[in-house]
Amino acid sequence: MIYFVSLAVLIMDQLSKIWILETLTIHQSLPVFKGFNLFLTYNKGVSFSLFSSDHVFMPWVLTTVALLICLGIVFWLKKEHNSQIRLGLALILGGAIGNIIDRIRFGSVVDFLDIYVGPYHWPAFNVADSAICIGAFLIIVHLFLNKKENIHA
């Protein structure tokens, strides 16, 4: 049942990317409201363009690492009983698969959400990235709020 969360994230991510690719051209900005634009770009690295490289093997290295992480998450989900951690893992899994699909299709990840304050812009991101961050946040909050339980586990 928890895999439906992953599937929902994957579907929302891919549909939003299809729409943005049909709507904007590369580096085109569409203001939505003050502090938020839609801005089509491609990310060859990982989150926030870390490890970005034009090396021909980099997309495959990142894809392989992401696939191994997804495999680890599936094994963790099979053993995990806490619903908050399971939800976090499901969000991360759906987001990771969404970005893997992009890397296989385009050699990079489609990013388009642009948040800014004045001239300062957060690196562009997408629905998958959001799900990954929310999932990680849920797991971290659970671990911090349940320190004693986690130490004795």
Side-chain angles (χ1 to χ4, degrees):
M1 193 64 151
I2 195 72
Y3 293 107
F4 285 117
V5 172
S6 299
L7 182 61
V9 167
L10 176 60
I11 290 169
M12 288 187 296
D13 176 64
Q14 291 298 298
L15 288 178
S16 66
K17 290 171 180 173
I18 289 168
W19 179 79
I20 206 71
L21 288 168
E22 291 176 353
T23 304
L24 298 180
T25 58
I26 188 73
H27 299 136
Q28 180 183 358
S29 183
L30 177 65
V32 178
F33 54 82
K34 187 175 177 95
F36 179 66
N37 296 325
L38 298 176
F39 176 79
L40 177 59
T41 188
Y42 291 91
N43 177 359
K44 292 184 179 189
V46 293
S47 297
F48 314 119
S49 296
L50 294 172
F51 309 115
S52 186
S53 171
D54 286 329
H55 194 280
V56 70
F57 294 114
M58 188 54 88
W60 298 109
V61 169
L62 295 175
T63 300
T64 302
V65 169
L67 285 168
L68 291 172
I69 290 169
C70 287
L71 187 61
I73 288 172
V74 169
F75 283 118
W76 188 358
L77 271 168
K78 290 181 181 289
K79 295 181 181 222
E80 183 60 55
H81 299 290
N82 180 277
S83 60
Q84 185 174 345
I85 291 179
R86 288 177 58 78
L87 176 59
L89 291 170
L91 289 167
I92 294 169
L93 182 62
I97 293 170
N99 284 340
I100 288 169
I101 289 170
D102 285 10
R103 287 191 195 288
I104 292 169
R105 289 181 65 201
F106 307 115
S108 58
V109 174
V110 175
D111 285 335
F112 60 92
L113 301 172
D114 175 33
I115 295 176
Y116 65 94
V117 176
Y120 304 103
H121 290 253
W122 188 259
F125 59 100
N126 58 44
V127 172
D129 298 335
S130 300
I132 291 167
C133 289
I134 292 167
F137 178 78
L138 288 173
I139 293 168
I140 291 167
V141 166
H142 174 79
L143 294 175
F144 275 111
L145 293 178
N146 298 287
K147 281 186 202 177
K148 290 180 183 177
E149 174 186 315
N150 295 321
I151 291 171
H152 299 296

